[in-house]
Amino acid sequence: MTDNTDNTSGTTSGATFEVVYEINGDPADARSRAESLAVEQSHEFPRAYAPAKADRSLGRVVSVEQAGESRSLAVVSYPEDLTAYEIPQLLVVLLGNASLLPGIRLVDVRVSAEFARRIAGGPKLGVEGIRRVLGVPKRPLLATALKPVGLDTADIAQEAYDSAFGGVDVIKDDQGLGNQVWSPFEERVPAVARAIADANEKTGRHSVYLPTFNPVAGDWKRHVDIAVSAGAGGFLVVPGTLGLDSLRYVRDNTPDDFIIYAHPAFLGGWTAGADHGIAPGLLFGHLLRWFGADSVIFPSFGGRFTLSEEVCRSIATQAKDDFAGFKGALPSPGGGMTVERVPELVDFYGLDTMFLIGGALHATGNLVEGAQRFREAAEAYAD
């Protein structure tokens, strides 16, 4: 890889980055499929007819290696300039038309720190920043969701107060809470933020509220303004429905201590297939973090979803590893977790984790008690 240069006058930088694809099927066909993939994902034109100038946009196969009985790994090199240094165009290059091809899976992206930062800056806060904002130096962090969807604003605010009073660090909207008539965004956000502030005043702790960021495109700025003015502590961003560039938008248009918490809704279609889409560790661990997420929610093993321990470990590891020099993002396993499982989950994921428990905190009918039990389970690791 080489350094970028300005290309505003049509001068190309000559710099490249590498993408790794898993090609599923007969290994004898892997090389030809990789060659077709490289063209498809770059200038998308028959090479026999392409003018020489088009070579500056062409992807090229670096290597193809058999990795199993019916699985091969192909490394393709693309010009950095092909991405226009923008998230949407980067995604077109990585898996645009290839997402329509059977048996192709995106498994890794190898980039220089300079190229990565030119597209997006990674997390503003990351693991250590979230700990600083919340005032929690060591123990696992705790999150819950305001649910069920369908409650009115007063009920949601009371639930938020009880969660904060009981000791939950991060209290987020359910991803299904948007701008419904029974609790409009402009009404709900100030009310919930006030409720949590009231609880904080009584306890001396610092719980924060993260409303859902999932508005129509024309309302992005208005929703940011409402949340910041109300004293929210961040956003639960839903990049699967808004587009992955929404993470960068929120990152670049909110205060420095604003937590950006990414929700996986609608992203399962990219990760559920073992031979198609995007490897979960890459999507949840690297890409969402690259684009601005400080913490990433994913469905943990043993809950109501079907990710394996191996896949969950890959997500948690890649969320915090050395990728393009970015800060690590806080992995946040959820999806049917219970307080009783906290010791098991801490053993598996480690202390730098934000555990998300929603409905199970209501199991006894007393949310304050459920939140207190959650906090007590985490406090066992505070020393």
Side-chain angles (χ1 to χ4, degrees), residues 350-375:
L351 295 180
D352 281 334
T353 307
M354 181 148 66
F355 295 107
L356 173 60
I357 299 180
L361 297 188
H362 298 254
T364 67
N366 187 316
L367 180 55
V368 172
E369 289 182 1
Q372 288 172 336
R373 290 179 58 242
F374 194 16
R375 178 65 176 247

Side-chain angles (χ1 to χ4, degrees), residues 127 130 141 261 284-285 294-298 312-313 315-320 328-334 349-356:
V127 177
I130 292 177
L141 294 160
Y261 198 22
F284 297 121
D294 296 301
S295 181
V296 178
I297 300 170
F298 60 94
C312 290
R313 193 181 300 280
I315 295 170
T317 298
Q318 289 184 254
K320 295 182 287 188
L330 198 63
S332 186
Y349 290 110
L351 295 180
D352 281 334
T353 307
M354 181 148 66
F355 295 107
L356 173 60

Side-chain angles (χ1 to χ4, degrees), residues 23 29-39 61 63-64 74-76:
I23 300 178
D29 300 330
R31 168 64 67 168
S32 62
R33 291 174 67 190
E35 295 286 355
S36 296
L37 179 64
V39 174
V61 176
S63 64
V64 180
V75 179
V76 178

Side-chain angles (χ1 to χ4, degrees), residues 124-125 129-134 169-173 185 189-190 192-194 196-197 200 206-213 223-237 250 254-261 294-295 354:
K124 281 192 295 188
L125 294 173
I130 292 177
R131 287 195 175 282
R132 174 182 56 77
V133 168
L134 297 176
D169 302 304
V170 172
I171 298 154
K172 72 172 187 68
D173 280 350
F185 185 88
V189 173
V192 174
R194 283 194 303 270
I196 292 175
N200 287 340
H206 184 59
S207 299
V208 298
Y209 170 46
L210 275 56
T212 294
F213 187 79
H223 277 226
V224 167
D225 290 344
I226 289 169
V228 172
S229 297
F235 266 128
L236 176 77
V237 182
V250 173
T254 53
D256 288 343
D257 283 351
F258 220 65
I259 297 170
I260 300 173
Y261 198 22
D294 296 301
S295 181
M354 181 148 66

Side-chain angles (χ1 to χ4, degrees), residues 296-316:
V296 178
I297 300 170
F298 60 94
S300 182
F301 68 94
R304 65 180 186 273
F305 298 97
T306 57
L307 292 191
S308 67
E309 290 189 15
E310 179 184 6
V311 169
C312 290
R313 193 181 300 280
S314 74
I315 295 170

Side-chain angles (χ1 to χ4, degrees), residues 79-101:
E80 290 182 358
D81 293 328
L82 186 60
T83 68
Y85 305 96
E86 298 169 347
I87 291 172
Q89 190 59 36
L90 170 70
L91 296 173
V92 168
V93 175
L94 295 182
L95 199 66
N97 281 0
S99 69
L100 303 170
L101 298 172

